[in-house]
Amino acid sequence: MSTAKADLRSALEARFGDALALETWSGPGGRSLPLAAPIGDEAWSELLRFARAERVRVLPVGLGSKLELGLVDQVELLASTRSDTDVIDYEPGDGTLTARAGARLGRLAQHIRVGGHRLTPTVPEPERTTLGGALAAGQDGFDRLRYGPIRHQLLGLRMALADGTIVKSGGKLVKNVTGYDVHRLLAGSLGTLAVIVEASLRLYPLPETHVLVRASSGSTNDALTTSRALLALPIRPVAVVARNTGGSGWTIEVVLEGRDDVVTWELARVREVLPVCTTEGGRHDLGAPHLRAMSALERRSGSWPPLTIRTRPSRLADALVIVEGACLAASLRPEIATHPGLALAWVWFGDELPAELGLRLDRELRADGHALRWRGPQRPPGGQDPLRPDVPAPARRTMFNLERALDPDGVFPGLRLDDAP
Amino acid sequence: MTLPDAKSLVDYAKSLDCIHCGLCLQSCPTFRLTGAESSSPRGRIHLMRAIGEERVEPNAAYGEELEFCLLCRHCESVCPAGVRFGPMMESARASYESVRPSGFLRRQLRSFGFRRLLPGRIALRLFGSFLRAVQVLGLDRIAFLVLGERGRDLVHLPRIAPLSARRLLPETIEAKVENGQEAAVGFLEGCVMPELFPHVNRAAANSLAALGARVHTPRGIVCCGSLHAHNGDLEGARMLARKLIEGFEPIKGGDGEAAPIVIHSAGCGAHMRELFELFEADDPWHARATAFAARVTDFTQYVAPLLAARTDVELDEGALEGPVTWDDPCHLCHAQGVREEPRDILARLVPNRRVELEGSENCCGSAGIYSLLRPADSRAVFEPKRAALERSGARTLVTANPGCQLQWQTGLRRAGSSVRVLHLAELVERALSRARSGRAGQQGHSAQQDA
Amino acid sequence: MDTKLVAALRAVVGERGLIDDPTRLLPYESDGLAMLAVRPPLVLLPRTTAEVARCMQLLAEYGVSIVARGAGTGLAGGATPVADGVVLSTARMRDVLEVNVEDRFARVQAGVVNVDLSGLCQAHGLAYAPDPSSQMACTIGGNVANNSGGPHCFKYGATTRHILGLVIVTHDGEILDLSEPVVDPDGYDLVGLFVGSEGTFGVATEVTVRLVPAAPVVEVQLAIFADLDAACDSVSEIIKQRLEPSALEILDKLTIEAVEDSVFAAGYPREAEAVLLIEVEGVETEVNGIAREIRTILEARGALEIRTARDATQRKKLWAGRKGAFGAMGRIAPDLYVADAVVPRTKLRDLVRRTIEICRERDLRLANVFHAGDGNLHPNICYDRRDPDEVRRVLAAGHAILEACVEAGGALTGEHGVGLEKLAEMELLFTADDLAAMCRVREAWDPERRLNPGKLLPMHACLEIRTAALPPAPTSLDT
């Protein structure tokens, strides 16, 4: 294995010289892989042609912040967009942005601020998140409630296919139905179908002002009931978040943004539901500490949540009852953060999650009809596999066909669709 | 008979107005029923055009699609290109009638129905009495044995009144004016109205009189010919149109101006407003028909402004039970564009009790003699209307067309519903007579009605 | 068509679910693009997903092609039949399966009509946002196939943003149940990919749609201009200032005249060269603020008059004129060719001018009515199909307009889809590699290419032989 790796490295050097800025990636368990960072369509094209000819499996990555899903175990080479960072086109008069996949979301946000625009998602670590990485992972920001998921922001893509051809899908226009939405297929595909090398996003007006409202709540039930009352208001909040705190209580946070007069009006409505609350706010600036804290919600406790639950809004309480019940029985106090409007919940278990408890949660949540995704080493053995889509077999079969259609030779790692024919 | 040339079988030039956008589809009761494009306005026009282009023969399938149409003209209300589907369909049916393979029995029946029964008062009177006899003897309960599907609804028909209650209107009813000017109007009793709904005729005429009009009902005018025109007998329709014109031309107001012709049957009114469509432009009758058509107005249009000027017309609480709803007759809302006036009248008569009927502009399936010719289809079209009525919670349904009234009464009785079905004129008369008796300081006397 | 197959299909869908009489098949020969006509040998009208699946299994066995059809209001020939394939119509699949007010979604059969969907949830203060101009007739399944737009997509996004789930029957009659409305797809986003695939991936039989809260206050402004350029520039300025109305529509003089002559007469002033229809919605403060700023822009750009309406009836009337515009053109010309190009919103004026020049050069009458806020142009070119030379000039103009738009960074279609109509132009926008990749995706769904064959992708891109281009006269494709 190690000779093969050494061979690959020297083969890459022989073929590309310094052009790929080869580095070594070191992962958990002492694993290390060569990491290439091509710049420009041509370089991507050549790297993939090489990989295909040499039968080297490649995982496209950004800065490698989401490798715990396990795809990295299937490959011999990492190909990073980290150096391919140019802004291709920002058209303030049209409200669209096109950039290379390695561009950091934080820098892009700064870039378009001058023209009075904001982009979404507002992710936990925008300076360390690439555009391509966020797209491939289908990453959310805390502002999703108002602006929608990242796949809805995507206007078009350039992608490098497994055979090295560079193709486009969609375009730079806010409205366009020409051809298939292959870009929608790529969003959230985790780098298993093609490399996203360039993407165009829809932009939004930079709000004049923002405000973060915070209030405490008693039980889980109270927190969810209050959240629903907030969500029923005729306002368009950027986020309504409920998270449990150190003690037994919950905190509810609402973020409003937009025109001054509208935010003032909406704040008054929120206060009707949350008569006792604190507010922070002012001119809109994502660098403000309280908004940074909001956007970092998904990395509470410094790590991605090991368990993500997705369900219907009306069923969120049921899911939390299962989580809290099982954890209480095991004398474990989980940290929970939820977006009740999105019916999304993240759960952290602390340092240790007993496998037995993990399995019980896995079993009970799924039996009750909730979708879940484990992430990282706390996934209990036998628990829902994040690489094996939890969809009916015919849907998995179609996914398998799509994977084979775009990557017939297996240049990229794959989802686990092996029960397909 | 020699086959006419293809383009003359349909109004080819008009068929080109359709741009095939499909916006009419959902308005069409037969499309909603079948989901078949050929049973939609766009599909039927497409077929007519294909006939004109000789891409298809005027075969039985084509004929069936023509006859399946209820001619409700809902599609005209939604057509952005302004295609006038009604006249197109009438002329297509007439031409098809001339080329269709037709059995002896069918020809005899058509000839009897259109040329003998409908235009002749005596025949209609006999028919009414015959129906009454059937009802009195209880034969309607076994009519389906002879008539099949068609006879099944006979038992649900409203009871035919004895001849004494089916008396025709006097030629003139004097205006009940207390002060101010007297107006004159022409009035049409219609063919089946005096047999089935004599009280509605009287209610309409009395209301007009109570609102200050001298009501002239010319003798010898029976049927307006709309049923003929709808069903492919344009020649019969022309014959009746000439009689109609001749009968109404002499009716003038005090100022010598031609008096308005007030029609309380939406189907007749729609036809009479387009009477000129029957005659070629160079036919001298065309000009006379045009002048005639301009005089025609619907009962609701005539009455609404007069009622609006009065403050004393409101129905007594006990007159009607529960909420009241209005069902737009197709030939009132789609063919004549009258929608507001009946609602205004109801708002005045039963303030706060009017509820809207979902899909009130959809056809009820009556469609002239359609319910007789195609009972199963007619019932299928009716069913969603009945369901909507149930959802509305109304206890009284008001309409303004005898066909619709009959269809609702029959259909609701069949379904075991107790919702009352009334003609708007019946409510207007009741309110007016109450107002008058109130003013006269009399109690309990319900004016001259049925005197 | 094989008689055994027809008998087997009849057994599945019943007598009323199958049309094989040549006369009754004739009206299916075109969709909203009447220029193209192919009479299908058979039409199926199934009622349930199970019936669709069974039909498609049988059709797979016999290797027969399938063209799915909603209401047939599409303007790009997406539902034009193929000579040896069946038409599968969803016209009898119109059951509402579930309206979930709490979780704000509805599940309906594919044949449910767009406008009925909105009517359905109105009572609960919710709405289905995408509102194509044909909404009173078009089906939700057809909207899914075309990723349909409409005026309000300016604010709410096209159909794809509102589809939470689908039940799809695949080429071989298998049922893909993706109807559960979870916030994110597990695995690949099959639903997102399927929307806009124009019937080439499968047949959507059930659709789960997102419902949005209806806005409490809605104001429509009608700005009247003596000059089309100024109307276009106003829109560009509104976008540039990042104001967020919910719709921005422009109608030019010829359109105004047609509309005012139609049943949709909306009181647009006939002497105007252009009207700009603007809708602002939200809470009172928001509507007041945005409307005020927009008014300032309109006045600065020389609007002659600005009318506003907040009352529902008045608003509906102003809108009816816009929505009925396409059909109303039937009054000014026997036939109409509607292009559907999109351009960056900074270039509206230039491209609108260019379309006018292109038509003037070819001696054609042009009416412009378009979703200006999205940069979605709809040049409506008048013609008479009986004049072959005019038809040729119209097609040439259509092509030239698309060329100009692509050159300016635009695209071929904003909402109508590619269908048959814009096949040739696909190569203006996409390279052979782009198209080949799309072909591969298509084959993952439909390896035998039996689903809506010959649509959306130029066939030679998929290494097939391309059939005839658009015919010069309407009947020549008829068999």
Side-chain angles (χ1 to χ4, degrees):
Chain A
M1 193 70 196
S2 62
T3 40
K5 245 190 305 183
D7 286 352
L8 172 57
R9 204 185 163 88
S10 42
L12 283 165
E13 272 164 358
R15 170 79 184 271
F16 297 100
D18 295 337
L20 291 179
L22 276 183
E23 281 181 31
T24 301
W25 170 84
S26 307
R31 207 171 131 73
S32 71
L33 291 177
L35 181 148
I39 302 175
D41 286 355
E42 198 46 43
W44 278 103
S45 204
E46 274 179 40
L47 177 67
L48 290 171
R49 276 201 291 268
F50 167 86
R52 182 162 172 246
E54 301 297 322
R55 301 186 172 280
V56 173
R57 275 202 158 196
V58 187
L59 176 63
V61 296
L63 297 177
S65 62
K66 300 177 204 77
L67 294 178
E68 71 290 337
L69 285 176
L71 287 169
V72 71
D73 301 338
Q74 299 178 25
V75 303
E76 292 88 43
L77 174 67
L78 297 182
S80 169
T81 58
R82 62 169 61 170
S83 307
D84 205 347
T85 60
D86 285 352
V87 172
I88 302 297
D89 184 23
Y90 165 47
E91 182 48 80
D94 202 27
T96 57
L97 170 72
T98 302
R100 298 294 290 178
R104 315 300 195 261
L105 289 183
R107 209 190 105 229
L108 292 175
Q110 282 308 318
H111 187 90
I112 58 174
R113 202 183 156 82
V114 222
H117 283 108
R118 101 198 273 298
L119 61 76
T120 186
T122 308
V123 298
E125 291 164 325
E127 292 79 15
R128 286 169 50 198
T129 304
T130 61
L131 173 61
L135 282 167
Q139 199 174 355
D140 279 335
F142 83 97
D143 49 1
R144 173 170 170 175
L145 180 65
R146 171 142 166 190
Y147 296 104
I150 193 167
R151 59 179 190 275
H152 287 175
Q153 320 307 329
L154 186 59
L155 304 174
L157 281 183
R158 285 177 75 74
M159 55 200 133
L161 298 182
D163 62 5
T165 50
I166 306 284
V167 302
K168 81 162 175 174
S169 166
K172 299 175 180 178
L173 302 151
V174 292
K175 188 177 185 186
N176 181 9
V177 298
T178 321
Y180 297 129
D181 282 3
V182 183
H183 46 290
R184 280 290 296 268
L185 177 63
L186 266 284
S189 68
L190 303 172
T192 60
L193 297 175
V195 186
I196 297 171
V197 295
E198 192 177 304
S200 301
L201 296 184
R202 161 198 301 274
L203 303 177
Y204 296 89
L206 191 67
E208 287 173 5
T209 188
H210 81 276
V211 58
L212 167 69
V213 187
R214 187 175 285 139
S216 28
S217 187
S219 65
T220 312
N221 229 339
D222 290 346
L224 290 183
T225 309
T226 309
S227 302
R228 295 184 77 80
L230 289 164
L231 289 162
L233 291 172
I235 61 173
R236 293 196 301 143
V238 175
V240 173
V241 168
R243 58 186 169 88
N244 64 1
T245 45
S248 58
W250 283 70
T251 297
I252 292 172
E253 284 151 321
V254 183
V255 181
L256 305 171
E257 66 175 40
R259 304 165 59 92
D260 285 326
D261 46 2
V262 178
V263 170
T264 308
W265 187 87
E266 290 190 336
L267 182 58
R269 299 288 83 68
V270 170
R271 281 182 194 278
E272 286 165 15
V273 179
L274 303 174
V276 183
C277 64
T278 63
T279 59
E280 295 173 80
R283 247 182 70 73
H284 187 266
D285 179 9
L286 287 171
H290 50 279
L291 283 191
R292 283 192 86 95
M294 277 304 289
S295 47
L297 188 70
E298 199 181 350
R299 299 217 63 174
R300 205 174 164 189
S301 315
S303 64
W304 297 111
L307 177 62
T308 301
I309 303 168
R310 294 166 300 156
T311 186
R312 296 184 180 188
S314 60
R315 306 281 332 276
L316 185 61
D318 299 343
L320 295 190
V321 164
I322 291 174
V323 172
E324 291 182 326
C327 288
L328 190 69
S331 309
L332 202 95
R333 182 170 284 159
E335 287 187 62
I336 301 173
T338 74
H339 283 277
L342 300 169
L344 199 70
W346 296 309
V347 188
W348 293 264
F349 301 97
D351 298 337
E352 200 85 37
L353 172 67
E356 207 176 302
L357 174 60
L359 264 182
R360 181 176 164 194
L361 284 172
D362 189 280
R363 204 176 47 240
E364 289 185 9
L365 285 168
R366 285 164 70 188
D368 198 37
H370 312 289
L372 49 91
R373 175 174 288 175
W374 292 101
R375 196 170 194 171
Q378 286 192 341
R379 175 167 82 95
Q384 170 66 32
D385 181 349
L387 291 180
R388 186 177 182 279
D390 191 10
V391 292
R396 255 196 316 276
R397 204 137 50 225
T398 305
M399 292 180 190
F400 178 84
N401 291 342
L402 284 165
E403 214 172 70
R404 205 172 43 180
L406 286 176
D407 181 17
D409 306 314
V411 172
F412 302 116
L415 299 182
R416 300 212 172 88
L417 304 162
D418 36 15
D419 64 337
Chain B
M1 181 188 280
T2 53
L3 271 183
D5 114 272
K7 283 215 165 49
S8 77
L9 275 173
V10 290
D11 198 333
Y12 183 72
K14 272 196 194 133
S15 77
L16 295 177
D17 291 346
C18 170
I19 55 163
H20 220 259
C21 69
L23 293 198
C24 55
L25 292 177
Q26 299 302 327
S27 74
C28 178
T30 57
F31 178 79
R32 282 198 303 267
L33 219 52
T34 60
E37 186 77 33
S38 55
S39 306
S40 77
R42 173 172 73 173
R44 290 184 174 112
I45 295 175
H46 198 90
L47 285 177
M48 291 177 200
R49 188 184 291 180
I51 294 270
E53 287 163 0
E54 294 183 72
R55 298 202 294 137
V56 67
E57 296 279 304
N59 54 25
Y62 167 71
E64 164 63 18
E65 291 300 0
L66 294 187
E67 285 173 5
F68 188 23
C69 169
L70 295 116
L71 254 177
C72 69
R73 304 175 68 170
H74 197 161
C75 47
E76 291 184 36
S77 280
V78 298
C79 177
V83 173
R84 298 198 51 228
F85 184 82
M88 256 167 86
M89 179 50 94
E90 286 180 2
S91 87
R93 278 186 180 172
S95 316
Y96 178 68
E97 210 44 63
S98 69
V99 297
R100 72 177 290 155
S102 179
F104 175 76
L105 190 63
R106 183 188 154 85
R107 279 201 306 276
Q108 291 307 308
L109 264 176
R110 278 180 67 87
S111 155
F112 171 74
F114 288 137
R115 299 296 171 90
R116 302 247 173 254
L117 181 62
L118 287 174
R121 180 65 70 205
I122 296 171
L124 281 164
R125 304 250 82 176
L126 283 173
F127 186 70
S129 299
F130 170 71
L131 252 182
R132 177 170 160 80
V134 165
Q135 288 180 340
V136 169
L137 294 172
L139 294 176
D140 49 349
R141 258 162 282 181
I142 53 163
F144 67 94
L145 293 178
V146 188
L147 297 171
E149 230 3 66
R150 263 167 217 161
R152 213 167 272 283
D153 263 342
L154 216 52
V155 68
H156 301 304
L157 272 189
R159 306 286 90 181
I160 308 287
L163 197 57
S164 58
R166 285 189 275 135
R167 275 177 305 103
L168 297 177
L169 293 175
E171 202 165 348
T172 310
I173 301 175
E174 291 304 328
K176 316 275 186 305
V177 267
E178 282 148 21
N179 46 14
Q181 287 267 301
E182 176 183 316
V185 298
F187 189 78
L188 178 77
E189 279 185 292
C191 45
V192 296
M193 288 285 278
E195 310 309 320
L196 284 169
F197 300 110
H199 53 289
V200 173
N201 271 356
R202 276 195 299 278
N206 288 340
S207 304
L208 293 170
L211 287 167
R214 194 181 145 94
V215 183
H216 297 272
T217 309
R219 281 275 162 259
I221 308 268
V222 180
C223 176
C224 68
S226 70
L227 294 174
H228 303 69
H230 294 172
N231 293 284
D233 183 12
L234 286 180
E235 199 36 57
R238 269 178 217 119
M239 202 173 69
L240 292 169
R242 290 186 203 107
K243 275 180 82 173
L244 214 51
I245 294 168
E246 283 169 340
F248 279 96
E249 266 175 358
I251 298 172
K252 296 196 160 61
D255 51 4
E257 289 285 307
I261 302 164
V262 181
I263 304 300
H264 64 304
S265 153
C268 306
H271 174 71
M272 290 160 77
R273 281 191 164 176
E274 293 172 350
L275 212 60
F276 48 85
E277 296 273 0
L278 291 170
F279 303 99
E280 297 293 332
D282 50 3
D283 186 332
W285 282 99
H286 187 273
R288 287 173 78 180
T290 308
F292 173 91
R295 293 166 62 194
V296 177
T297 183
D298 186 73
F299 176 78
T300 60
Q301 284 179 297
Y302 186 84
V303 163
L306 298 175
L307 279 183
R310 298 181 50 162
T311 52
D312 58 345
V313 280
E314 185 173 328
L315 276 179
D316 40 313
E317 272 299 313
L320 293 175
E321 177 205 343
V324 180
T325 196
W326 166 251
D327 186 41
D328 293 275
C330 297
H331 282 213
L332 195 56
C333 66
H334 303 307
Q336 303 185 56
V338 177
R339 292 179 172 83
E340 298 308 318
E341 290 86 345
R343 287 179 170 77
D344 291 346
I345 295 173
L346 272 182
R348 187 155 281 273
L349 300 184
V350 283
N352 312 322
R353 281 166 69 194
R354 194 173 72 77
V355 291
E356 277 292 339
L357 180 67
E358 201 184 303
S360 67
E361 293 197 7
N362 293 345
C363 181
C364 67
S366 161
I369 54 170
Y370 190 92
S371 54
L372 211 62
L373 298 175
R374 305 179 67 103
D377 292 330
S378 165
R379 271 178 236 166
V381 170
F382 178 72
E383 185 42 37
K385 293 287 285 188
R386 193 199 55 75
L389 176 64
E390 206 165 278
R391 281 195 299 277
S392 78
R395 299 294 306 147
T396 303
L397 179 128
V398 184
T399 183
N401 187 48
C404 307
Q405 197 174 358
L406 192 62
Q407 174 82 348
W408 275 108
Q409 284 179 345
T410 321
L412 290 179
R413 281 185 63 168
R414 187 172 59 231
S417 162
S418 60
V419 175
R420 277 179 84 185
V421 182
L422 293 172
H423 192 289
L424 190 55
E426 297 178 76
L427 296 189
V428 173
E429 188 208 25
R430 178 151 185 162
L432 284 171
S433 66
R434 177 169 180 257
R436 196 164 52 249
S437 57
R439 252 182 307 173
Q442 298 166 348
Q443 313 124 356
H445 179 62
S446 70
Q448 282 81 349
Q449 113 182 55
D450 296 343
Chain C
M1 196 119 307
D2 192 301
T3 49
K4 270 201 294 202
L5 171 63
V6 175
L9 290 167
R10 197 185 304 262
V12 175
V13 294
E15 200 54 53
R16 298 189 89 171
L18 183 143
I19 299 174
D20 60 351
D21 174 90
T23 304
R24 299 181 67 214
L25 286 167
L26 201 59
Y28 284 94
E29 65 185 352
S30 303
D31 61 6
L33 182 70
M35 196 185 280
L36 299 183
V38 181
R39 188 193 320 211
L42 190 70
V43 172
L44 295 172
L45 296 145
R47 304 195 81 137
T48 62
T49 299
E51 284 185 11
V52 174
R54 187 69 198 112
C55 287
M56 288 180 69
Q57 279 163 15
L58 287 165
L59 293 164
E61 256 171 57
Y62 285 79
V64 175
S65 297
I66 298 158
V67 176
R69 176 182 175 113
T73 54
L75 294 167
T80 307
V82 292
D84 52 358
V86 307
V87 167
L88 196 153
S89 162
T90 58
R92 293 209 303 162
M93 300 182 69
R94 44 175 108 205
D95 287 347
V96 174
L97 305 169
E98 181 183 1
V99 179
N100 190 320
V101 176
E102 199 177 3
D103 292 335
R104 290 182 183 168
F105 72 84
R107 242 166 18 92
V108 300
Q109 280 193 308
V112 165
V113 173
N114 176 297
V115 79
D116 291 346
L117 200 50
S118 296
L120 205 69
C121 40
Q122 214 167 21
H124 308 291
L126 297 173
Y128 175 68
D131 57 342
S133 297
S134 57
Q135 69 181 136
M136 62 200 252
C138 65
T139 64
I140 197 72
N143 293 172
V144 165
N146 285 314
N147 190 9
S148 302
H152 285 91
C153 290
F154 174 59
K155 175 170 180 177
Y156 292 97
T159 299
T160 187
R161 288 182 77 158
H162 302 270
I163 303 301
L164 298 173
L166 292 172
V167 174
I168 299 163
V169 179
T170 59
H171 71 105
D172 53 357
E174 195 158 59
I175 299 170
L176 287 190
D177 186 345
L178 303 164
S179 60
E180 176 62 23
V182 286
V183 285
D184 290 302
D186 215 33
Y188 302 132
D189 184 6
L190 296 183
V191 170
L193 177 62
F194 187 92
V195 176
S197 60
E198 300 191 24
T200 61
F201 286 175
V203 177
T205 55
E206 290 171 28
V207 187
T208 311
V209 299
R210 187 162 74 102
L211 303 176
V212 296
V217 179
V218 184
E219 177 175 314
V220 175
Q221 296 185 350
L222 181 77
I224 296 149
F225 287 92
D227 162 23
L228 183 57
D229 282 358
C232 292
D233 287 347
S234 303
V235 171
S236 294
E237 186 62 26
I238 290 168
I239 304 289
K240 192 171 164 209
Q241 295 204 12
R242 302 174 306 283
L243 296 169
E244 288 186 300
S246 50
L248 281 167
E249 303 282 317
I250 291 180
L251 293 84
D252 72 358
K253 188 178 179 69
L254 194 53
T255 315
I256 295 167
E257 285 170 2
V259 166
E260 287 305 311
D261 285 336
S262 79
V263 289
F264 294 125
Y268 300 159
R270 286 166 190 269
E271 64 281 4
E273 280 299 321
V275 298
L276 170 55
L277 197 61
I278 302 158
E279 188 173 285
V280 186
E281 54 171 53
V283 296
E284 184 81 35
T285 346
E286 192 173 12
V287 173
N288 291 344
I290 297 176
R292 191 174 52 239
E293 287 178 39
I294 288 178
R295 213 167 294 133
T296 313
I297 294 176
L298 298 176
E299 278 159 8
R301 297 276 163 182
L304 300 176
E305 186 192 337
I306 303 164
R307 300 179 190 170
T308 57
R310 280 199 181 185
D311 144 61
T313 327
Q314 281 305 311
R315 283 190 341 237
K316 205 173 163 193
K317 201 166 170 194
L318 290 181
W319 269 117
R322 167 60 188 92
K323 296 210 168 181
F326 168 64
M329 306 282 187
R331 293 172 174 273
I332 54 176
D335 296 284
L336 207 60
Y337 176 88
V338 192
D340 176 41
V342 217
V343 296
R345 294 171 293 180
T346 44
K347 296 179 177 163
L348 268 182
R349 180 180 58 178
D350 300 347
L351 268 301
V352 168
R353 275 190 179 174
R354 188 76 195 98
T355 61
I356 295 171
E357 276 163 32
I358 286 169
C359 290
R360 192 184 297 137
E361 283 161 14
R362 289 168 181 77
D363 194 21
L364 293 165
R365 280 223 296 173
L366 167 74
N368 264 307
V369 47
F370 54 104
H371 308 304
D374 286 317
N376 191 183
L377 306 183
H378 284 326
N380 290 269
I381 309 174
C382 307
Y383 72 99
D384 185 333
R385 80 191 81 176
R386 290 162 297 181
D387 178 348
D389 180 59
E390 197 169 46
V391 172
R392 263 190 296 278
R393 278 181 286 137
V394 167
L395 293 176
H399 184 83
I401 289 171
L402 288 179
E403 239 169 9
C405 290
V406 170
E407 206 171 296
L412 306 177
T413 165
E415 54 183 15
H416 297 170
V418 175
L420 277 176
E421 184 215 0
K422 289 179 274 280
L423 277 181
E425 286 80 10
M426 282 294 272
E427 281 157 291
L428 293 175
L429 193 63
F430 292 111
T431 64
D433 283 347
D434 299 341
L435 294 171
M438 289 188 201
C439 287
R440 275 145 78 178
V441 171
R442 177 181 192 151
E443 276 166 27
W445 289 88
D446 176 25
E448 296 157 358
R449 297 176 200 152
R450 284 186 300 106
L451 302 179
N452 217 3
K455 312 284 175 63
L456 198 142
L457 290 174
M459 287 192 224
H460 65 89
C462 300
L463 305 175
E464 285 180 7
I465 302 147
R466 189 140 183 246
T467 51
L470 293 177
T475 54
S476 65
L477 263 185
D478 183 43
T479 45

